[in-house]
Amino acid sequence: DQQVKQNSPSLSVQEGRISILNCDYTNSMFDYFLWYKKYPAEGPTFLISISSIKDKNEDGRFTVFLNKSAKHLSLHIVPSQPGDSAVYFCAASYLTGNQFYFGTGTSLTVIP
Amino acid sequence: NAGVMQNPRHLVRRRGQEARLRCSPMKGHSHVYWYRQLPEEGLKFMVYLQKENIIDESGMPKERFSAEFPKEGPSILRIQQVVRGDSAAYFCASSPIGQGRDEQYFGPGTRLTVT
């Protein structure tokens, strides 16, 4: 039962343009959401998070948007850089839970 | 401050052998999580441990898999009598507090191949 879904396995974007990665979830108890970035042969590294009391969180070139009614979140990267090429995982949790629930990942390629 | 360390990075085992995967959390972190990533899938939670205690093992297969986090030393994920379906990347993460809000820091993973 995949409670966090990333329906686009891959995405290609030109350098300097915006990258938009999408994530949907089914469990209404989730109240904390994160994005992780993963390079080959490395572990995931934390990128940005958002609590359900917010609908937007920004950190430099990265912005996460949360639409609770649609159970949808997205990660915007502006401007995209070749070093952003990686697999991006969306994850969700709830306060009393012990684990993160991960999506299957979206492989982003930024073309120079 | 060293990050989460996992060893070995690559492990090859024949069917029926035992696999032992080690994880040393970040300094000051007393909460450890193990995740498994099968090919073409996301990370799936296996177990959450604090020092000397298993807190949540709801993601662990019922047989052949066990985990521990002793008072001294690394956390160990043990897989007995490995089968080909156990081939995956196993990631360990650690956190300082252990709540659902707490950011988890991941190690580089151990890639297990069962031949």
Short mmCIF file of all heavy atoms in Angstrom, two decimals, chain B residues 32-86:
data_model
loop_
_atom_site.label_atom_id
_atom_site.label_comp_id
_atom_site.label_asym_id
_atom_site.label_seq_id
_atom_site.Cartn_x
_atom_site.Cartn_y
_atom_site.Cartn_z
N VAL B 32 17.87 5.18 15.77
CA VAL B 32 18.32 4.59 14.51
C VAL B 32 17.13 3.96 13.78
O VAL B 32 16.28 3.32 14.40
CB VAL B 32 19.41 3.53 14.77
CG1 VAL B 32 19.63 2.66 13.54
CG2 VAL B 32 20.73 4.19 15.16
N TYR B 33 17.12 4.16 12.48
CA TYR B 33 16.07 3.61 11.62
C TYR B 33 16.74 2.82 10.50
O TYR B 33 17.76 3.25 9.97
CB TYR B 33 15.23 4.73 10.98
CG TYR B 33 14.71 5.75 11.96
CD1 TYR B 33 15.54 6.76 12.44
CD2 TYR B 33 13.39 5.72 12.39
CE1 TYR B 33 15.08 7.70 13.33
CE2 TYR B 33 12.91 6.68 13.28
CZ TYR B 33 13.76 7.66 13.75
OH TYR B 33 13.30 8.61 14.63
N TRP B 34 16.13 1.72 10.13
CA TRP B 34 16.60 0.97 8.97
C TRP B 34 15.51 1.00 7.89
O TRP B 34 14.32 0.79 8.18
CB TRP B 34 16.92 -0.48 9.33
CG TRP B 34 18.19 -0.66 10.09
CD1 TRP B 34 18.35 -0.70 11.45
CD2 TRP B 34 19.49 -0.85 9.54
NE1 TRP B 34 19.67 -0.89 11.78
CE2 TRP B 34 20.40 -1.00 10.62
CE3 TRP B 34 20.00 -0.94 8.23
CZ2 TRP B 34 21.77 -1.22 10.44
CZ3 TRP B 34 21.35 -1.14 8.05
CH2 TRP B 34 22.22 -1.28 9.14
N TYR B 35 15.94 1.26 6.66
CA TYR B 35 15.06 1.26 5.50
C TYR B 35 15.65 0.34 4.43
O TYR B 35 16.86 0.16 4.36
CB TYR B 35 14.93 2.67 4.89
CG TYR B 35 14.18 3.67 5.73
CD1 TYR B 35 14.82 4.36 6.76
CD2 TYR B 35 12.85 3.95 5.47
CE1 TYR B 35 14.12 5.29 7.53
CE2 TYR B 35 12.15 4.89 6.23
CZ TYR B 35 12.80 5.55 7.25
OH TYR B 35 12.12 6.49 7.99
N ARG B 36 14.77 -0.20 3.61
CA ARG B 36 15.22 -1.03 2.50
C ARG B 36 14.68 -0.42 1.20
O ARG B 36 13.52 0.01 1.14
CB ARG B 36 14.70 -2.46 2.67
CG ARG B 36 14.99 -3.37 1.50
CD ARG B 36 14.77 -4.82 1.84
NE ARG B 36 13.39 -5.17 2.07
CZ ARG B 36 12.97 -6.43 2.27
NH1 ARG B 36 13.85 -7.42 2.24
NH2 ARG B 36 11.71 -6.69 2.48
N GLN B 37 15.53 -0.41 0.19
CA GLN B 37 15.10 0.07 -1.12
C GLN B 37 15.30 -1.05 -2.13
O GLN B 37 16.43 -1.40 -2.46
CB GLN B 37 15.88 1.31 -1.56
CG GLN B 37 15.35 1.88 -2.87
CD GLN B 37 16.14 3.08 -3.35
OE1 GLN B 37 17.28 3.32 -2.96
NE2 GLN B 37 15.52 3.87 -4.21
N LEU B 38 14.19 -1.61 -2.59
CA LEU B 38 14.23 -2.60 -3.65
C LEU B 38 14.37 -1.89 -4.99
O LEU B 38 14.01 -0.70 -5.10
CB LEU B 38 12.97 -3.46 -3.61
CG LEU B 38 12.82 -4.34 -2.35
CD1 LEU B 38 11.43 -4.93 -2.27
CD2 LEU B 38 13.87 -5.43 -2.33
N PRO B 39 14.86 -2.58 -6.01
CA PRO B 39 15.02 -1.95 -7.33
C PRO B 39 13.72 -1.30 -7.80
O PRO B 39 12.65 -1.89 -7.70
CB PRO B 39 15.43 -3.11 -8.24
CG PRO B 39 16.09 -4.08 -7.31
CD PRO B 39 15.36 -3.95 -6.01
N GLU B 40 13.82 -0.09 -8.31
CA GLU B 40 12.68 0.65 -8.87
C GLU B 40 11.63 1.02 -7.82
O GLU B 40 10.50 1.37 -8.18
CB GLU B 40 11.99 -0.14 -10.00
CG GLU B 40 12.94 -0.65 -11.06
CD GLU B 40 13.71 0.46 -11.75
OE1 GLU B 40 13.13 1.54 -11.95
OE2 GLU B 40 14.90 0.25 -12.07
N GLU B 41 11.97 0.98 -6.55
CA GLU B 41 11.00 1.34 -5.51
C GLU B 41 11.58 2.40 -4.59
O GLU B 41 12.76 2.71 -4.63
CB GLU B 41 10.62 0.10 -4.69
CG GLU B 41 9.85 -0.95 -5.49
CD GLU B 41 9.31 -2.04 -4.59
OE1 GLU B 41 9.29 -1.87 -3.36
OE2 GLU B 41 8.90 -3.08 -5.15
N GLY B 42 10.71 2.98 -3.78
CA GLY B 42 11.17 3.94 -2.78
C GLY B 42 11.69 3.22 -1.56
O GLY B 42 11.72 2.00 -1.49
N LEU B 43 12.11 4.00 -0.59
CA LEU B 43 12.61 3.43 0.66
C LEU B 43 11.44 2.97 1.50
O LEU B 43 10.46 3.71 1.69
CB LEU B 43 13.42 4.47 1.44
CG LEU B 43 14.82 4.77 0.93
CD1 LEU B 43 14.80 5.67 -0.28
CD2 LEU B 43 15.67 5.40 2.02
N LYS B 44 11.56 1.77 2.04
CA LYS B 44 10.50 1.23 2.89
C LYS B 44 11.04 1.03 4.30
O LYS B 44 12.09 0.39 4.49
CB LYS B 44 10.01 -0.13 2.34
CG LYS B 44 9.31 -0.02 1.00
CD LYS B 44 7.90 0.48 1.15
CE LYS B 44 7.22 0.76 -0.17
NZ LYS B 44 7.10 -0.37 -1.05
N PHE B 45 10.32 1.55 5.27
CA PHE B 45 10.71 1.45 6.67
C PHE B 45 10.75 0.00 7.12
O PHE B 45 9.88 -0.81 6.77
CB PHE B 45 9.70 2.23 7.52
CG PHE B 45 9.80 2.00 9.00
CD1 PHE B 45 10.78 2.64 9.74
CD2 PHE B 45 8.94 1.15 9.64
CE1 PHE B 45 10.87 2.44 11.12
CE2 PHE B 45 9.01 0.93 11.00
CZ PHE B 45 9.98 1.57 11.74
N MET B 46 11.78 -0.32 7.90
CA MET B 46 11.86 -1.67 8.46
C MET B 46 11.72 -1.64 9.98
O MET B 46 10.85 -2.29 10.55
CB MET B 46 13.19 -2.31 8.08
CG MET B 46 13.41 -2.48 6.58
SD MET B 46 14.98 -3.28 6.21
CE MET B 46 14.59 -4.96 6.64
N VAL B 47 12.60 -0.87 10.64
CA VAL B 47 12.64 -0.93 12.10
C VAL B 47 13.20 0.36 12.66
O VAL B 47 14.01 1.03 12.01
CB VAL B 47 13.47 -2.15 12.56
CG1 VAL B 47 14.92 -2.03 12.09
CG2 VAL B 47 13.41 -2.36 14.06
N TYR B 48 12.74 0.68 13.88
CA TYR B 48 13.21 1.87 14.59
C TYR B 48 13.70 1.42 15.96
O TYR B 48 12.98 0.73 16.69
CB TYR B 48 12.07 2.88 14.68
CG TYR B 48 12.19 3.96 15.74
CD1 TYR B 48 13.39 4.64 15.94
CD2 TYR B 48 11.09 4.31 16.51
CE1 TYR B 48 13.47 5.63 16.91
CE2 TYR B 48 11.17 5.30 17.47
CZ TYR B 48 12.37 5.96 17.67
OH TYR B 48 12.45 6.96 18.62
N LEU B 49 14.93 1.81 16.29
CA LEU B 49 15.53 1.39 17.55
C LEU B 49 16.10 2.58 18.31
O LEU B 49 16.57 3.55 17.70
CB LEU B 49 16.70 0.41 17.30
CG LEU B 49 16.47 -0.78 16.38
CD1 LEU B 49 17.08 -0.52 15.01
CD2 LEU B 49 17.07 -2.03 16.98
N GLN B 50 16.04 2.47 19.61
CA GLN B 50 16.84 3.32 20.48
C GLN B 50 17.86 2.40 21.15
O GLN B 50 17.79 1.18 21.03
CB GLN B 50 15.98 3.99 21.53
CG GLN B 50 15.01 5.01 20.97
CD GLN B 50 14.18 5.65 22.05
OE1 GLN B 50 14.63 5.83 23.18
NE2 GLN B 50 12.95 6.00 21.72
N LYS B 51 18.77 2.98 21.87
CA LYS B 51 19.80 2.16 22.52
C LYS B 51 19.14 1.04 23.34
O LYS B 51 18.32 1.29 24.22
CB LYS B 51 20.64 3.02 23.46
CG LYS B 51 21.64 3.91 22.75
CD LYS B 51 22.84 3.14 22.27
CE LYS B 51 23.90 4.07 21.71
NZ LYS B 51 25.07 3.33 21.22
N GLU B 52 19.48 -0.19 22.98
CA GLU B 52 19.05 -1.40 23.70
C GLU B 52 17.55 -1.68 23.59
O GLU B 52 17.05 -2.59 24.25
CB GLU B 52 19.44 -1.34 25.18
CG GLU B 52 20.95 -1.23 25.40
CD GLU B 52 21.32 -1.27 26.87
OE1 GLU B 52 21.24 -0.20 27.52
OE2 GLU B 52 21.69 -2.34 27.35
N ASN B 53 16.83 -0.93 22.78
CA ASN B 53 15.38 -1.15 22.65
C ASN B 53 14.93 -1.11 21.20
O ASN B 53 15.36 -0.26 20.43
CB ASN B 53 14.61 -0.07 23.41
CG ASN B 53 14.68 -0.25 24.91
OD1 ASN B 53 14.33 -1.29 25.44
ND2 ASN B 53 15.14 0.79 25.58
N ILE B 54 14.05 -2.04 20.85
CA ILE B 54 13.35 -1.97 19.57
C ILE B 54 12.03 -1.26 19.82
O ILE B 54 11.21 -1.72 20.62
CB ILE B 54 13.10 -3.37 18.98
CG1 ILE B 54 14.42 -4.06 18.69
CG2 ILE B 54 12.25 -3.27 17.72
CD1 ILE B 54 14.28 -5.50 18.24
N ILE B 55 11.84 -0.12 19.16
CA ILE B 55 10.65 0.68 19.40
C ILE B 55 9.52 0.29 18.45
O ILE B 55 8.36 0.21 18.82
CB ILE B 55 10.95 2.18 19.28
CG1 ILE B 55 12.12 2.57 20.18
CG2 ILE B 55 9.71 3.01 19.59
CD1 ILE B 55 11.91 2.28 21.65
N ASP B 56 9.88 0.07 17.19
CA ASP B 56 8.86 -0.21 16.17
C ASP B 56 9.50 -1.10 15.13
O ASP B 56 10.43 -0.68 14.45
CB ASP B 56 8.36 1.10 15.55
CG ASP B 56 7.27 0.91 14.50
OD1 ASP B 56 6.99 -0.24 14.10
OD2 ASP B 56 6.71 1.93 14.06
N GLU B 57 9.03 -2.32 15.01
CA GLU B 57 9.55 -3.24 14.00
C GLU B 57 8.45 -3.65 13.03
O GLU B 57 8.49 -4.75 12.46
CB GLU B 57 10.21 -4.46 14.63
CG GLU B 57 9.33 -5.21 15.60
CD GLU B 57 10.06 -6.40 16.24
OE1 GLU B 57 11.18 -6.73 15.79
OE2 GLU B 57 9.50 -6.97 17.19
N SER B 58 7.49 -2.76 12.83
CA SER B 58 6.33 -3.10 12.01
C SER B 58 6.67 -3.35 10.55
O SER B 58 5.92 -3.98 9.83
CB SER B 58 5.28 -2.00 12.11
OG SER B 58 5.82 -0.75 11.70
N GLY B 59 7.83 -2.86 10.09
CA GLY B 59 8.20 -3.06 8.70
C GLY B 59 9.16 -4.23 8.48
O GLY B 59 9.56 -4.50 7.35
N MET B 60 9.48 -4.92 9.51
CA MET B 60 10.44 -6.04 9.40
C MET B 60 9.70 -7.30 8.95
O MET B 60 8.65 -7.63 9.49
CB MET B 60 11.09 -6.31 10.75
CG MET B 60 12.11 -5.28 11.14
SD MET B 60 13.71 -5.58 10.44
CE MET B 60 14.39 -6.61 11.73
N PRO B 61 10.27 -8.03 8.00
CA PRO B 61 9.71 -9.36 7.70
C PRO B 61 9.71 -10.20 8.98
O PRO B 61 10.59 -10.07 9.83
CB PRO B 61 10.68 -9.91 6.66
CG PRO B 61 11.30 -8.70 6.03
CD PRO B 61 11.40 -7.69 7.12
N LYS B 62 8.72 -11.05 9.08
CA LYS B 62 8.52 -11.80 10.33
C LYS B 62 9.62 -12.82 10.58
O LYS B 62 9.92 -13.17 11.73
CB LYS B 62 7.16 -12.51 10.29
CG LYS B 62 5.98 -11.55 10.27
CD LYS B 62 5.77 -10.90 11.62
CE LYS B 62 4.55 -10.01 11.63
NZ LYS B 62 4.84 -8.63 11.30
N GLU B 63 10.21 -13.31 9.53
CA GLU B 63 11.22 -14.35 9.70
C GLU B 63 12.55 -13.89 9.10
O GLU B 63 12.60 -13.07 8.19
CB GLU B 63 10.76 -15.64 9.01
CG GLU B 63 9.50 -16.22 9.61
CD GLU B 63 9.01 -17.45 8.86
OE1 GLU B 63 9.52 -17.72 7.76
OE2 GLU B 63 8.11 -18.13 9.37
N ARG B 64 13.61 -14.41 9.64
CA ARG B 64 14.99 -14.28 9.14
C ARG B 64 15.62 -12.91 9.41
O ARG B 64 16.85 -12.80 9.34
CB ARG B 64 15.08 -14.58 7.64
CG ARG B 64 14.60 -15.96 7.24
CD ARG B 64 14.87 -16.26 5.77
NE ARG B 64 14.17 -15.34 4.89
CZ ARG B 64 14.77 -14.38 4.17
NH1 ARG B 64 16.09 -14.21 4.24
NH2 ARG B 64 14.04 -13.60 3.39
N PHE B 65 14.85 -11.90 9.69
CA PHE B 65 15.39 -10.56 9.89
C PHE B 65 15.37 -10.20 11.38
O PHE B 65 14.38 -10.45 12.06
CB PHE B 65 14.57 -9.50 9.13
CG PHE B 65 14.80 -9.48 7.65
CD1 PHE B 65 14.33 -10.51 6.85
CD2 PHE B 65 15.49 -8.44 7.05
CE1 PHE B 65 14.54 -10.49 5.47
CE2 PHE B 65 15.70 -8.41 5.68
CZ PHE B 65 15.22 -9.44 4.90
N SER B 66 16.45 -9.59 11.84
CA SER B 66 16.48 -9.10 13.21
C SER B 66 17.37 -7.87 13.26
O SER B 66 18.22 -7.66 12.39
CB SER B 66 16.98 -10.17 14.18
OG SER B 66 18.32 -10.54 13.87
N ALA B 67 17.16 -7.06 14.28
CA ALA B 67 17.96 -5.84 14.43
C ALA B 67 18.25 -5.61 15.90
O ALA B 67 17.46 -5.99 16.77
CB ALA B 67 17.23 -4.63 13.83
N GLU B 68 19.37 -4.95 16.15
CA GLU B 68 19.73 -4.61 17.51
C GLU B 68 20.51 -3.31 17.50
O GLU B 68 21.13 -2.93 16.51
CB GLU B 68 20.55 -5.72 18.16
CG GLU B 68 21.89 -5.99 17.51
CD GLU B 68 22.70 -7.04 18.25
OE1 GLU B 68 22.17 -7.68 19.17
OE2 GLU B 68 23.87 -7.20 17.91
N PHE B 69 20.49 -2.64 18.64
CA PHE B 69 21.26 -1.42 18.82
C PHE B 69 21.77 -1.47 20.26
O PHE B 69 21.13 -0.98 21.19
CB PHE B 69 20.37 -0.21 18.59
CG PHE B 69 21.10 1.12 18.55
CD1 PHE B 69 22.48 1.20 18.40
CD2 PHE B 69 20.39 2.30 18.64
CE1 PHE B 69 23.13 2.42 18.36
CE2 PHE B 69 21.03 3.53 18.60
CZ PHE B 69 22.40 3.59 18.45
N PRO B 70 22.92 -2.10 20.45
CA PRO B 70 23.42 -2.32 21.82
C PRO B 70 23.88 -1.01 22.47
O PRO B 70 24.07 0.01 21.80
CB PRO B 70 24.59 -3.29 21.61
CG PRO B 70 25.03 -3.07 20.21
CD PRO B 70 23.81 -2.69 19.43
N LYS B 71 24.09 -1.11 23.76
CA LYS B 71 24.54 0.05 24.52
C LYS B 71 25.85 0.60 23.96
O LYS B 71 26.07 1.81 23.89
CB LYS B 71 24.70 -0.34 25.99
CG LYS B 71 24.98 0.81 26.92
CD LYS B 71 25.04 0.32 28.37
CE LYS B 71 25.35 1.48 29.30
NZ LYS B 71 25.44 1.01 30.72
N GLU B 72 26.73 -0.31 23.60
CA GLU B 72 27.99 0.09 23.00
C GLU B 72 28.08 -0.50 21.60
O GLU B 72 27.72 -1.65 21.39
CB GLU B 72 29.17 -0.45 23.83
CG GLU B 72 29.18 0.03 25.29
CD GLU B 72 29.50 1.50 25.41
OE1 GLU B 72 30.09 2.06 24.46
OE2 GLU B 72 29.13 2.10 26.44
N GLY B 73 28.55 0.28 20.67
CA GLY B 73 28.75 -0.25 19.33
C GLY B 73 27.64 0.12 18.37
O GLY B 73 26.65 0.76 18.74
N PRO B 74 27.80 -0.32 17.13
CA PRO B 74 26.85 0.07 16.09
C PRO B 74 25.54 -0.71 16.16
O PRO B 74 25.44 -1.73 16.85
CB PRO B 74 27.60 -0.27 14.79
CG PRO B 74 28.45 -1.44 15.18
CD PRO B 74 28.87 -1.17 16.59
N SER B 75 24.58 -0.23 15.42
CA SER B 75 23.36 -1.00 15.22
C SER B 75 23.63 -2.06 14.16
O SER B 75 24.39 -1.84 13.21
CB SER B 75 22.24 -0.07 14.75
OG SER B 75 21.07 -0.81 14.43
N ILE B 76 23.04 -3.22 14.35
CA ILE B 76 23.25 -4.33 13.42
C ILE B 76 21.90 -4.77 12.85
O ILE B 76 20.93 -4.97 13.61
CB ILE B 76 23.87 -5.55 14.13
CG1 ILE B 76 25.16 -5.18 14.86
CG2 ILE B 76 24.10 -6.69 13.14
CD1 ILE B 76 26.35 -4.94 13.98
N LEU B 77 21.85 -4.90 11.54
CA LEU B 77 20.71 -5.54 10.88
C LEU B 77 21.20 -6.90 10.40
O LEU B 77 22.17 -6.97 9.65
CB LEU B 77 20.20 -4.70 9.71
CG LEU B 77 19.01 -5.29 8.94
CD1 LEU B 77 17.76 -5.31 9.80
CD2 LEU B 77 18.75 -4.50 7.66
N ARG B 78 20.54 -7.94 10.84
CA ARG B 78 20.97 -9.30 10.55
C ARG B 78 19.93 -10.00 9.71
O ARG B 78 18.74 -9.98 10.05
CB ARG B 78 21.19 -10.03 11.87
CG ARG B 78 21.72 -11.43 11.76
CD ARG B 78 21.85 -12.01 13.15
NE ARG B 78 22.28 -13.39 13.14
CZ ARG B 78 21.98 -14.27 14.07
NH1 ARG B 78 21.23 -13.91 15.08
NH2 ARG B 78 22.42 -15.51 13.99
N ILE B 79 20.38 -10.60 8.63
CA ILE B 79 19.48 -11.36 7.76
C ILE B 79 20.02 -12.79 7.68
O ILE B 79 21.13 -13.02 7.20
CB ILE B 79 19.39 -10.77 6.34
CG1 ILE B 79 19.15 -9.26 6.37
CG2 ILE B 79 18.27 -11.46 5.56
CD1 ILE B 79 19.24 -8.57 5.02
N GLN B 80 19.24 -13.70 8.19
CA GLN B 80 19.66 -15.10 8.17
C GLN B 80 19.14 -15.78 6.91
O GLN B 80 18.08 -15.43 6.39
CB GLN B 80 19.13 -15.82 9.41
CG GLN B 80 19.71 -15.30 10.72
CD GLN B 80 19.12 -16.00 11.93
OE1 GLN B 80 17.95 -15.83 12.23
NE2 GLN B 80 19.92 -16.80 12.60
N GLN B 81 19.90 -16.76 6.46
CA GLN B 81 19.48 -17.60 5.32
C GLN B 81 18.96 -16.74 4.17
O GLN B 81 17.81 -16.87 3.74
CB GLN B 81 18.41 -18.59 5.77
CG GLN B 81 18.90 -19.55 6.86
CD GLN B 81 17.80 -20.44 7.41
OE1 GLN B 81 16.68 -19.99 7.59
NE2 GLN B 81 18.13 -21.69 7.64
N VAL B 82 19.82 -15.88 3.67
CA VAL B 82 19.41 -14.91 2.66
C VAL B 82 18.87 -15.61 1.41
O VAL B 82 19.31 -16.71 1.05
CB VAL B 82 20.55 -13.95 2.27
CG1 VAL B 82 20.95 -13.10 3.47
CG2 VAL B 82 21.74 -14.70 1.71
N VAL B 83 17.92 -14.94 0.77
CA VAL B 83 17.36 -15.39 -0.50
C VAL B 83 17.54 -14.27 -1.52
O VAL B 83 17.86 -13.13 -1.16
CB VAL B 83 15.85 -15.74 -0.36
CG1 VAL B 83 15.66 -16.84 0.66
CG2 VAL B 83 15.04 -14.52 0.02
N ARG B 84 17.35 -14.61 -2.81
CA ARG B 84 17.59 -13.62 -3.86
C ARG B 84 16.73 -12.37 -3.67
O ARG B 84 17.15 -11.26 -3.99
CB ARG B 84 17.32 -14.23 -5.24
CG ARG B 84 18.36 -15.24 -5.65
CD ARG B 84 18.79 -15.03 -7.09
NE ARG B 84 19.95 -15.88 -7.40
CZ ARG B 84 19.86 -17.04 -8.01
NH1 ARG B 84 18.70 -17.51 -8.39
NH2 ARG B 84 20.97 -17.73 -8.25
N GLY B 85 15.53 -12.54 -3.15
CA GLY B 85 14.65 -11.40 -2.95
C GLY B 85 15.13 -10.42 -1.90
O GLY B 85 14.57 -9.32 -1.78
N ASP B 86 16.16 -10.79 -1.13
CA ASP B 86 16.73 -9.87 -0.14
C ASP B 86 17.71 -8.89 -0.78
O ASP B 86 18.15 -7.94 -0.12
CB ASP B 86 17.48 -10.66 0.95
CG ASP B 86 16.56 -11.57 1.75
OD1 ASP B 86 15.35 -11.26 1.85
OD2 ASP B 86 17.05 -12.59 2.28
#
